[in-house]
Amino acid sequence: MTEETSAEAASGQDGFPIEELSRRTGLTVRSLRSYQTRKLLPPPAVRGRTGFYDERHVARIELIKDLQSQGLKLTSIARMLDEQAASDADLLHFTRTVSDLFGQRAESLTSVEELMERFAVGGDEAGAVLDKALDLGLLRDLGDGTVEEVSPQLLAAGDRAMTMLDLDATELLGTIEQLRRHADAVATLYLDLFLERVWTPFVEAGQPPERWSEVEGALRDVRGLATEALVGAFELVMSTRVTEVLDQQLARPTARTRRRRGQRDR
């Protein structure tokens, strides 16, 4: 029997052995057995002394990979899979929708050397600036002196801020850190509302399959609503604050006015 014929037989309607599951998913047999121990995989159908797997196991592993790529640990994934009532296909589609909504970005790779030259830092300062940018999630270290710009748009805005406001790299990162805290507060506000008004009722209803598209649509709406509200609130607050600050500054006596007052007082 050829290798191709053997693979076809192994993947027939009666399922396939763990070696074929390993080939299809790219995970080692040892990793797959570890997943079974952690109860991440449903048990195989056992015939004789051999376990046979099917497409449900392939879908489960794809789901686990997706969840891991979003930063979840295996212990958290195991708990989620144990508690959720949705099919793996539904949950996989939902997590990929979330990833598409909030994870899309143009890939931008550069070298550490080029980046430090761009932000005009060197020596010991360069290491501190790089570490800070990594901590803030602005960059992802790919090794071999290469980094990925996680938010090229934000870094480009940083470039302009350095030029227009005469900021150095350390001052810029401090500003971005404050900006992230405010943005995190807005994201938390709207996601809490989503969980309370959409997700929790959906879970309490048993995660009915026909309502997954409704939940996905609500998350899309929340994304757009939060962005629109954030921009609108910023414009309102910025307009008010600019007026207040200018009024305060214009009301302050200038050096010329102070000199005139001094001359009159003599």
Side-chain angles (χ1 to χ4, degrees):
M1 183 180 292
T2 67
E3 182 178 346
E4 183 178 351
T5 305
S6 177
E8 289 176 355
S11 59
Q13 293 183 350
D14 293 334
F16 39 83
I18 195 169
E19 291 79 11
E20 174 66 10
L21 182 63
S22 171
R23 187 188 71 79
R24 292 190 182 199
T25 61
L27 295 178
T28 65
V29 170
R30 181 177 180 179
S31 294
L32 292 173
R33 295 200 189 282
S34 174
Y35 280 16
Q36 287 179 314
T37 301
R38 293 170 176 262
K39 298 184 178 179
L40 288 161
L41 285 178
V46 179
R47 292 191 292 275
R49 300 181 62 181
T50 303
F52 288 88
Y53 301 82
D54 55 33
E55 296 302 328
R56 293 175 306 151
H57 297 90
V58 176
R60 172 60 62 88
I61 290 169
E62 290 303 315
L63 173 59
I64 292 169
K65 286 181 177 179
D66 266 38
L67 294 172
Q68 281 186 298
S69 72
Q70 297 174 41
L72 274 70
K73 297 181 179 179
L74 286 178
T75 51
S76 299
I77 294 173
R79 191 181 309 114
M80 178 188 297
L81 295 177
D82 182 57
E83 293 176 355
Q84 64 93 19
S87 70
D88 286 353
D90 285 333
L91 190 55
L92 178 59
H93 179 73
F94 181 71
T95 59
R96 286 182 174 172
T97 297
V98 173
S99 179
D100 288 342
L101 279 174
F102 299 100
Q104 285 184 332
R105 58 180 180 270
E107 184 181 78
S108 182
L109 304 182
T110 186
S111 69
V112 172
E113 183 178 356
E114 289 174 349
L115 194 67
M116 293 303 102
E117 182 178 347
R118 173 178 164 189
F119 288 96
V121 291
D124 295 337
E125 184 187 8
V129 166
L130 178 61
D131 289 343
K132 185 67 173 179
L134 290 169
D135 289 342
L136 289 174
L138 298 173
L139 304 174
R140 181 177 292 113
D141 188 0
L142 302 180
D144 297 325
T146 302
V147 292
E148 177 187 0
E149 296 180 20
V150 176
S151 179
Q153 183 180 10
L154 186 54
L155 284 174
D159 276 345
R160 294 193 295 273
M162 290 181 72
T163 301
M164 295 171 60
L165 302 175
D166 195 26
L167 301 176
D168 62 30
T170 301
E171 291 170 329
L172 172 64
L173 291 177
T175 302
I176 290 177
E177 185 174 20
Q178 294 182 60
L179 179 62
R180 282 211 55 167
R181 282 201 294 267
H182 294 302
D184 182 69
V186 174
T188 299
L189 172 64
Y190 278 91
L191 286 176
D192 282 349
L193 287 171
F194 171 78
L195 291 174
E196 177 187 346
R197 304 300 175 90
V198 179
W199 183 257
T200 298
F202 172 65
V203 171
E204 290 176 347
Q207 299 180 8
E210 67 275 10
R211 287 181 56 187
W212 274 102
S213 60
E214 175 187 332
V215 173
E216 291 175 9
L219 187 57
R220 287 191 181 92
D221 291 342
V222 166
R223 180 185 188 273
L225 180 61
T227 303
E228 183 180 352
L230 180 58
V231 173
F234 172 77
E235 290 178 348
L236 175 63
V237 172
M238 189 69 171
S239 174
T240 302
R241 290 293 295 145
V242 166
T243 301
E244 290 174 351
V245 170
L246 286 180
D247 283 346
Q248 292 170 3
Q249 293 300 314
L250 291 174
R252 293 175 59 185
T254 64
R256 185 176 180 181
T257 303
R258 288 194 295 269
R259 284 197 301 270
R260 286 179 177 175
R261 288 178 181 174
Q263 291 171 358
R264 287 200 301 265
D265 292 340
R266 284 188 214 142

